[in-house]
Amino acid sequence: MDLSFSPQEEAFRQEVRDFIAEASPLLPKNLGTPEQARRSKDEYLVWHRLLYKRGWVAPAWPKELGGAGWSVTERYIFATETAKAGMPTTLPFGLGMVGPVIYTFGNEAQKKKFLPRILSGEDWWCQGYSEPGAGSDLASLRCRAVRDGDHYIVDGQKTWTTLAQYADWIFCLVRTDPNAKPQEGISFLLIDMTSPGITIKPIIVLDGAREVNEVFFDAVKVPAENLVGEENKGWTYAKFLLAHERSGLASALRSRAALMRLKAIARKEQLDGQPLVRDPDFARKLSALEADLMALEFTELRILSREAKGGKIGAESSMLKVVGSEILQRISDLAMEAVGYYALPHDLSLGDNEAIGPDYARGLASRYFNQRKVSIYGGSNEIQRNIIAKAVLGL
Amino acid sequence: MDFSFSEEQTLLRNSLSRYLADRYAFEDWRKFTRAGEGRDPAHWRQFAEMGLFAAPLPEAVGGLGGGAIEIMVVMEEFGRALAVEPFVSTVVIGGGLLAKSGGALAEEWLPKIAGGETVMAFAFAEAQGRFNLADLATTAKKQGDGYVLQGQKSVVLAAPWADQLIVTARTGGSQRETQGVSIFLVDKKGKGVSSRDYAVTSGLRASDVIFENAPARLIGEEGMALPLLEVIVDRAIAAHLAEATGAIAMLMNATVEYAKTRKQFGQPIGKFQALQHRIVDMYIAQEQAQSASLMANLKLDEPDGARTASAAKAALGKYARAVAEGAVQVHGGIGMTDELNVGHYFKRLVLLETLYGSPDHHLRRMAKLDQ
């Protein structure tokens, strides 16, 4: 056993740090502030474009398709350094979701048409999975696509579609065989968001931001060439994508950065004339949280090392999601507790009370409320536990 | 032993809950909390007419001679409706302090409180003080036959609607000393008072208030107010605990109903054991919360009233959070939306958990009172 990195890996780390130092001044000023959730399309894309220029935008993609060509360890170093420096993350919908589906299951024409535009950021993708009646039970989805000559006609509704208001394309799970078993009649379709018959309706969430949307399809004509893989085999691709979505390593690193911010707040806040961080009750809660986080960091490293040796990540990603989401929620909770009464004016759904209380209190209540989503989305934590029970423990 | 309500108390609850159902529905609430001054003043007048404000006040000053139970009944219903009216700061804090200290000030203001002619906000918190009622940098000094105030108060709930402020300040002693704390009544629109008004979570409004030589009238005894302050804040805590149980009841109803009707995998999600156990834990928390509220309210005048109030505040904070977070989780994505009332009850319970001290603060106070 050995926890150290090789000299080459350390040199790579320095390269990443240099890049971050150059990129930081070019990033939007509102990063890390409450307005972050209200970024414009362009603000979202600044980091993406900088990485693209450097050839680093797609760490996990194969090199010949425009990936960074990094080892698993280099990917981890990159994630560590960017998280530590508080850099944004690229959005997962193109790079982490539909991209891998297209290069794994799509045809040559689709790869040529879509992959370069995902890398460059020219196309913004959103995810058409959940429906009002199909959440945890995704396979019960009803949005229909009927083949009509060289087109499909799509009718139905998707929901919880993150940032659909900016999207150029949506990848959708649609039902193409209503008579088959639920999982066997689903196809994976790429739909141009400018197609006639698509309407988007915003959903405002607890922090007041328009983070998600409903997307309606009314007789939307989709060229048959936009079908990925085989008709009625979409569930296989959907599961592949979900596993990719969940394998987001380095959630512990993001939590580590959030914990550092929380500690900084606890050093500034007062309790009976002392810094809050010295209050035994608060200090104990901080330590308990950090102990769980440190264990999670090592759990991530163990999975990483297994992956580096060519192992496949399966249900471990469900475990990372459960632990990682609960830690994120606890950090947001303690941060809100740390600022006491001045948490209360900082519910952004009421507008930004910028000048009220200490500047670090801004957005903390909103973040706590918003973080409730992390145990719900991407497969609720109940579903993740079901997966572990079945796939890992054989229960 | 008898936990049942009197006929008058039941009547009070029924008439209030009918009014709230008719005139204070969630859709109305959404509208008036988000527009203009953030409330509909007509409700305040109606509540006065219904006798809500008079109910707990002594008969000698125009009250109906009730007490903690009447306040509890009102606050449970207010909690169910997410009410924003500053009943507690006006009637429980203002009315309570004035009734206990008596004198000309009480004679002048108690009838106005009973009649709904005044709105009072309680300015006690300071940025450095956290939840310690005695940690005060605001000072008062004698001037003529009154006092003038100097200092700043944080997150004064309902201050934008108030005509009077009840303000804690030091007339002596050092910053966190027991001695030297006094309580004042200050004309909100008077000279030397300025404020920055803003919205706070779950539909309330508040202000940061600055006093610069603001004229103030002393309530009770100079420098000796901390014990009285603690007694009255415990009453406010008990009232807000009742409010929390109202909000918890609404979340429980919504969650059970949703679990019965929302279908996934071919059956109501309430049939899944993982969710059943979570919802059962929420139910147990609800029952424990109800007990905590009752014990705080019933024991206010007992020797262990203060310790009981702290115990109830700490315990109920934990139960409320379990119910609120559980309600959102069981609802899934829809529980995350601004459109559904679930998130707003959740936010109110988070606010109530902080108000007058976090669970940690009250656990420490409990331990101290045991020594």
Side-chain angles (χ1 to χ4, degrees):
Chain A
M1 294 221 181
D2 182 8
L3 284 173
S4 62
F5 291 93
S6 72
Q8 290 85 345
E9 285 161 349
E10 288 301 342
F12 175 73
R13 187 192 302 280
Q14 192 51 49
E15 211 184 320
V16 174
R17 285 183 180 167
D18 294 343
F19 173 76
I20 289 170
E22 278 169 43
S24 294
L26 306 170
L27 293 172
K29 298 277 169 284
N30 60 12
L31 278 177
T33 73
E35 292 91 52
Q36 190 173 315
R38 291 159 173 75
R39 271 175 285 179
S40 70
K41 189 170 177 172
D42 264 341
E43 286 174 325
Y44 266 108
L45 284 169
V46 175
W47 177 240
H48 183 114
R49 289 176 182 139
L50 287 167
L51 290 169
Y52 174 65
K53 236 171 92 187
R54 182 64 185 253
W56 286 0
V57 77
W61 288 27
K63 187 149 176 69
E64 64 276 16
L65 294 174
W70 290 337
S71 69
V72 174
T73 310
E74 284 169 330
R75 277 156 57 187
Y76 187 77
I77 290 170
F78 176 78
T80 308
E81 293 303 321
T82 48
K84 263 192 199 159
M87 295 292 103
T89 48
T90 52
L91 286 168
F93 310 108
L95 292 167
M97 295 182 176
V98 75
V101 168
I102 291 173
Y103 69 64
T104 310
F105 304 105
N107 58 37
E108 286 310 313
Q110 288 167 340
K111 288 186 209 175
K112 225 174 133 190
K113 177 175 178 188
F114 293 111
L115 297 181
R117 298 173 64 88
I118 291 173
L119 291 168
S120 67
E122 277 165 284
D123 285 343
W124 182 302
W125 284 83
C126 65
Q127 181 182 25
Y129 267 38
S130 295
E131 296 179 9
S136 288
D137 183 11
L138 184 59
S140 69
L141 62 94
R142 291 164 60 182
C143 185
R144 277 189 67 178
V146 178
R147 185 72 184 246
D148 180 20
D150 52 2
H151 282 82
Y152 287 96
I153 305 298
V154 177
D155 282 283
Q157 185 195 341
K158 294 294 173 182
T159 192
W160 313 124
T161 314
T162 303
L163 298 173
Q165 69 266 34
Y166 296 151
D168 305 297
W169 285 85
I170 182 168
F171 56 93
C172 271
L173 294 180
V174 291
R175 187 156 300 285
T176 36
D177 184 354
N179 301 316
K181 281 190 194 161
Q183 287 86 346
E184 287 165 15
I186 292 170
S187 299
F188 196 102
L189 211 51
L190 312 176
I191 304 176
D192 185 339
M193 286 294 278
T194 60
S195 314
I198 295 183
T199 40
I200 307 175
K201 202 179 141 212
I203 301 174
I204 304 301
V205 289
L206 289 182
D207 64 359
R210 180 184 177 182
E211 203 170 51
V212 286
N213 299 270
E214 294 178 282
V215 181
F216 298 88
F217 300 87
D218 180 15
V220 175
K221 237 175 128 180
V222 181
E225 66 197 39
N226 288 1
L227 175 78
V228 175
E230 287 177 59
E231 196 175 83
N232 297 328
K233 292 274 189 268
W235 188 248
T236 314
Y237 318 143
K239 280 200 304 188
F240 166 87
L241 184 152
L242 282 177
H244 251 256
E245 178 183 358
R246 284 176 201 139
S247 73
L249 276 176
S251 104
L253 297 165
R254 297 268 149 199
S255 291
R256 166 69 60 187
L259 182 70
M260 291 303 142
R261 289 194 293 273
L262 165 58
K263 282 186 176 177
I265 291 173
R267 279 192 290 271
K268 287 180 190 153
E269 281 290 312
Q270 300 264 300
L271 192 154
D272 290 342
Q274 293 283 320
L276 179 62
V277 76
R278 283 207 222 144
D279 167 50
D281 294 325
F282 200 83
R284 197 192 142 280
K285 283 200 244 187
L286 273 178
S287 298
L289 180 54
E290 191 168 354
D292 284 340
L293 179 57
M294 288 160 77
L296 176 64
E297 284 166 350
F298 257 70
T299 304
E300 284 190 353
L301 285 173
R302 283 170 56 214
I303 292 172
L304 172 86
S305 126
R306 210 176 307 159
E307 207 190 358
K309 288 186 178 131
K312 271 222 172 298
I313 299 196
E316 294 93 337
S317 61
S318 293
M319 178 175 63
L320 293 180
K321 205 242 165 189
V322 170
V323 183
S325 61
E326 288 174 357
I327 286 177
L328 270 173
Q329 291 179 335
R330 279 164 66 197
I331 294 173
S332 70
D333 186 358
L334 265 190
M336 182 173 71
E337 185 182 327
V339 296
Y341 288 118
Y342 273 119
L344 305 178
H346 294 284
D347 174 349
L348 289 170
S349 67
L350 314 161
D352 187 0
N353 292 318
E354 195 176 341
I356 303 301
D359 57 353
Y360 51 74
R362 286 180 70 203
L364 290 182
S366 280
R367 182 160 306 147
Y368 165 74
F369 294 130
N370 185 273
Q371 287 295 317
R372 298 300 102 204
K373 73 186 176 190
V374 300
S375 53
I376 296 170
Y377 69 22
S380 73
N381 283 13
E382 287 83 1
I383 294 293
Q384 307 298 347
R385 287 183 167 96
N386 285 346
I387 291 171
I388 296 170
K390 212 169 142 186
V392 181
L393 305 175
L395 296 173
Chain B
M1 198 164 302
D2 182 8
F3 283 112
S4 59
F5 293 98
S6 73
E7 210 175 304
E8 289 81 9
Q9 288 159 352
T10 304
L11 219 63
L12 176 69
R13 182 191 297 280
N14 291 345
S15 65
L16 178 55
S17 91
R18 249 196 326 273
Y19 176 86
L20 293 170
D22 289 348
R23 302 272 310 274
Y24 216 107
F26 178 62
E27 282 315 309
D28 305 319
W29 179 90
R30 276 178 79 87
K31 280 190 201 114
F32 67 69
T33 54
R34 287 168 187 220
E37 63 167 318
R39 62 164 187 162
D40 178 355
H43 293 309
W44 189 255
R45 291 192 293 274
Q46 284 295 321
F47 293 148
E49 260 176 50
M50 290 164 73
L52 299 193
F53 307 148
L57 294 176
E59 287 175 48
V61 296
L64 301 171
I69 306 302
E70 281 70 21
I71 293 171
M72 188 177 82
V73 165
V74 170
M75 289 307 290
E76 283 179 358
E77 295 306 316
F78 273 9
R80 298 175 84 94
L82 283 168
V84 299
E85 276 68 21
F87 175 82
V88 174
S89 57
T90 305
V91 181
V92 181
I93 305 266
L97 285 171
L98 288 162
K100 287 241 184 225
S101 51
L105 217 47
E107 271 172 47
E108 180 187 348
W109 286 97
L110 284 173
K112 289 186 185 171
I113 292 173
E117 294 158 46
T118 178
V119 172
M120 294 180 173
F122 184 32
F124 64 99
E126 298 185 4
Q128 85 292 340
R130 209 166 183 82
F131 307 121
N132 183 348
L133 296 171
D135 192 335
L136 297 171
T138 300
T139 56
K141 60 174 191 227
K142 260 202 160 122
Q143 194 174 84
D145 36 342
Y147 292 79
V148 286
L149 289 184
Q150 196 73 31
Q152 185 169 346
K153 294 289 181 177
S154 299
V155 197
V156 183
L157 291 176
W161 305 325
D163 52 277
Q164 300 298 313
L165 298 174
I166 293 154
V167 187
T168 57
R170 284 218 160 264
T171 43
S174 61
Q175 196 173 316
R176 283 179 294 278
E177 219 181 299
T178 312
Q179 298 289 317
V181 175
S182 302
I183 307 170
F184 297 92
L185 190 67
V186 178
D187 187 352
K188 166 89 192 309
K189 312 225 157 46
K191 65 173 187 186
V193 182
S194 60
S195 64
R196 281 197 317 212
D197 302 347
Y198 48 83
V200 294
T201 194
S202 81
L204 300 178
R205 299 288 170 110
S207 311
D208 278 12
V209 186
I210 295 171
F211 302 96
E212 289 166 300
N213 286 318
R217 286 180 284 179
L218 183 70
I219 300 176
E221 262 186 275
E222 184 187 300
M224 306 296 284
L226 192 60
L228 172 63
L229 192 61
E230 299 230 4
V231 163
I232 296 299
V233 167
D234 283 341
R235 290 182 175 273
I237 285 172
H240 284 301
L241 293 178
E243 180 184 5
T245 63
I248 287 171
M250 295 300 281
L251 284 176
M252 269 316 288
N253 294 345
T255 303
V256 170
E257 191 52 36
Y258 188 77
K260 282 180 179 170
T261 48
R262 168 71 175 175
K263 286 200 173 114
Q264 291 283 270
F265 303 104
Q267 56 180 331
I269 59 170
K271 289 286 171 210
F272 293 103
Q273 204 170 37
L275 286 190
Q276 281 177 355
H277 286 189
R278 179 144 193 180
I279 298 168
V280 168
D281 286 343
M282 289 164 63
Y283 166 75
I284 293 169
Q286 177 188 19
E287 289 297 316
Q288 288 281 83
Q290 188 65 60
S291 301
S293 165
L294 266 173
M295 78 182 188
N297 277 288
L298 291 173
K299 288 188 141 201
L300 281 170
D301 295 321
E302 305 286 323
D304 60 346
R307 196 161 180 273
T308 306
S310 273
K313 180 78 167 73
L316 205 143
K318 184 178 72 177
Y319 303 138
R321 197 73 85 85
V323 172
E325 291 182 351
V328 172
Q329 183 71 20
V330 172
H331 277 83
I334 202 86
M336 286 296 302
T337 62
D338 185 71
E339 201 179 338
L340 197 72
N341 60 11
V342 165
H344 300 278
Y345 286 107
F346 178 20
K347 288 178 175 182
R348 177 61 60 87
L349 287 169
V350 165
L351 178 140
L352 293 175
E353 182 183 315
T354 302
L355 188 58
Y356 301 120
S358 65
D360 272 2
H361 170 82
H362 283 285
L363 291 174
R364 279 194 292 270
R365 182 171 180 243
M366 251 187 100
K368 248 182 238 162
L369 290 170
D370 205 24
Q371 285 156 13

